[in-house]
């Protein structure tokens, strides 16, 4: 009798990586290899990042300041099929809730990170300048920000961008 051979692949990703980000890579891996087990290892302990990591298919989310033994244990547990999350960050993510921004507001606010003029943002996003201003204004209002730079900072601090 021949026993079936099972392959289990894993990936250890960071939030910020050259040429992309770990959250996008996790989603691509999950789409291409549904059985892949992804662990996000990052310095960015933000509730929004944890939520986005789980939505992208990651099975683990560990902070880089964790002791090496805890990281090794987390990786082994994820490879065994468990889900591993930093407990304090998981509690913060539950308390924080989801981003109040729509996907389009998030896209426009993300494009505004560099401080480009509205006309440049509009061209890059294929929207009118008035539409970009409306999305930015709505995002600022939802985040309680007085400027788009402040809105970007708030959204980044919460891990929503």
């Amino acid at each position: 009798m021949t026993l079936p051979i099972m392959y289990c692949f894993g990936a250890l990703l960071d939030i910020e990586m050259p040429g992309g980000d770990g959250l996008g890579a996790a989603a691509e891996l999950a789409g291409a290899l549904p059985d892949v087990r992804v662990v996000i290892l990052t310095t960015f302990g933000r509730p929004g990042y944890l939520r986005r990591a789980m939505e992208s298919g990651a099975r683990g989310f560990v902070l880089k300041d964790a002791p090496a033994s805890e990281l090794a244990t987390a990786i082994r547990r994820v490879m065994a099929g468990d889900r591993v999350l930093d407990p304090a960050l998981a509690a913060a993510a539950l308390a924080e809730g989801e981003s109040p921004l729509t996907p389009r507001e998030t896209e426009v606010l993300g494009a505004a990170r560099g401080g480009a003029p509205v006309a440049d943002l509009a061209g890059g996003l294929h929207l009118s300048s008035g539409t970009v201003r409306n999305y930015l204004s709505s995002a600022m209002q939802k985040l309680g920000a007085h400027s788009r730079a402040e809105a970007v900072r708030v959204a980044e601090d919460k891990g929503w961008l």
Side-chain angles (χ1 to χ4, degrees), residues 15-52:
I15 297 288
E16 290 185 357
M17 300 185 327
D21 69 88
L23 300 174
E28 287 184 41
L29 283 169
L33 301 166
D35 294 330
V36 72
R37 297 191 177 134
V38 173
V39 175
I40 302 288
L41 175 67
T42 185
T43 58
F44 301 106
R46 297 177 182 147
Y49 282 153
L50 172 63
R51 183 178 300 278
R52 288 173 47 207

Side-chain angles (χ1 to χ4, degrees), residues 102-112 124-125 127 161:
T102 66
R104 191 60 138 173
E105 288 166 345
T106 301
E107 178 186 20
V108 172
L109 194 58
L125 294 168
L127 298 170
L161 281 184

Side-chain angles (χ1 to χ4, degrees), residues 61 85-92:
F61 195 96
L85 307 174
D86 179 272
L89 193 55

Side-chain angles (χ1 to χ4, degrees), residues 2 12 29 61 120 155:
T2 305
L12 184 63
L29 283 169
F61 195 96
D120 292 351

Side-chain angles (χ1 to χ4, degrees), residues 99-112 121-140 142 160-161:
S99 171
L101 303 174
T102 66
R104 191 60 138 173
E105 288 166 345
T106 301
E107 178 186 20
V108 172
L109 194 58
L121 296 174
L125 294 168
H126 306 291
L127 298 170
S128 72
S129 293
T131 300
V132 168
R133 277 192 291 277
N134 288 340
Y135 280 123
L136 289 172
S137 176
S138 177
M140 288 167 46
K142 287 179 179 180
W160 295 336
L161 281 184

